[in-house]
Amino acid sequence: MGIVASAPAKIILFGEHFVVYGEPAIVLAIDKRAYVKAEKRNDTNLHVRSTNLNLSGNFEKSTFKIEHGDAKEAKMKFEPIRQAVEKIREKCGQDIGVDIEINSTIPVGAGLGSSAAVVAASTLAVGTLLDVKLSKEEIFRMTFEAEQVVHGTPSGIDPAISTFGGVLLFQMDTGFKPLDVKMDLPLVIGDTGVERSTRVQVERVREIVDNFPRIAEPMMRAAREIVLRAIDAFKENDLNTLGELMNMNHALLYGVGVSEESLEWLSYAARKAGALGAKLTGAGGGGCMIALSKDEKLEKVLEAIQRAGGRPFVARKTDEGVRIE
Ligand code: PMV
């Protein structure tokens, strides 16, 4: 009998990029989840299969053998899972083989934290299977460390939101703080389908900040004010203000060079169809945009994003972090 665990995807609602320079950001877990089933094996191998990516392979100790799909891709995608599973086996003290099957509803490579969600869910599923009790704090640590080995993500935003769920305020020097957001946040997420690299986008911002420090500095301050105003808007259930703040945040991100044609098209289309606000989310240069909308306009916004060439879906905030199904 197997154990199934799941963990949510993330979006950055406010403050991406400026967060790298010490400003705050607001991150949200959404109701798209990665599901991982873990079962014991009769040998000591770790077998991983991803139904979405059509990849499967086998780790015998640290030697990886591909079964299905591209070996390099599979090794890169599965390595953080192996790292996390190794840690759990060490805690368990027994060399038990594990079968892992991944089913995810999160678009891959779009900045929605699919990789961290898979690792967090794998950690909880394998921990439960091998009777290793793990606190959420431990799951976060293990996911963070496993992700760092492969992706080198310094901020840890993705592992944190996948583990804890809800809404988190993040700042480099103070870390994560949960925000108690009671209001519903109806969103349409539009995937541009344009590939992007977080590293390249972060470098692009660095160049602008270095070349125009006296222009960048007030932009940073404005980004911080947007986050602070958003926290007030959450308390007041003020969806309209949140929408306006999203538009302003997008303008700042455009200013530091990380928007791109399709992100502009999709954001314009969403606003024109009645969204209260729209912005790129995450690294930019492609990937996804998000639009905040009243419930009654969601369908129109979704259609508009689709007509503008995006792949849209409706998403809502979820307070459920990593969990056993
Ligand atoms: O890689 P993404 O799309 O989740 O975005 C990363 C967010 C940045 O602020 C651009 C970088 C970071 O490490 O915080």
Side-chain angles (χ1 to χ4, degrees), residues 60-74:
E60 209 178 318
K61 303 286 173 221
S62 54
T63 316
F64 181 67
K65 280 215 184 81
I66 187 77
E67 282 176 2
H68 210 275
D70 180 67
K72 214 167 141 216
E73 187 193 357

Side-chain angles (χ1 to χ4, degrees), residues 13-28:
L13 201 54
F14 297 107
E16 52 273 88
H17 284 290
F18 303 102
V19 75
V20 174
Y21 298 85
E23 303 303 340
I26 296 175
V27 198
L28 190 83

Side-chain angles (χ1 to χ4, degrees), residues 216-237:
E217 202 273 328
M219 291 169 90
M220 301 277 170
R221 254 186 295 140
R224 173 164 70 239
E225 283 308 319
I226 287 173
V227 168
L228 299 180
R229 276 300 297 272
I231 294 171
D232 288 339
F234 287 140
K235 287 182 192 142
E236 291 153 11
N237 274 332

Side-chain angles (χ1 to χ4, degrees), residues 10 12 16-17 19-20 110-111 154-155 157-158 196 198 202 281-284:
K10 74 108 192 345
I12 302 180
E16 52 273 88
H17 284 290
V19 75
V20 174
S155 59
I157 285 178
D158 295 13
R196 91 281 181 276
T198 300
V202 169
T281 183

Side-chain angles (χ1 to χ4, degrees), residues 120-131:
S122 303
T123 304
L124 179 60
V126 175
T128 309
L129 182 77
L130 302 186
D131 267 330

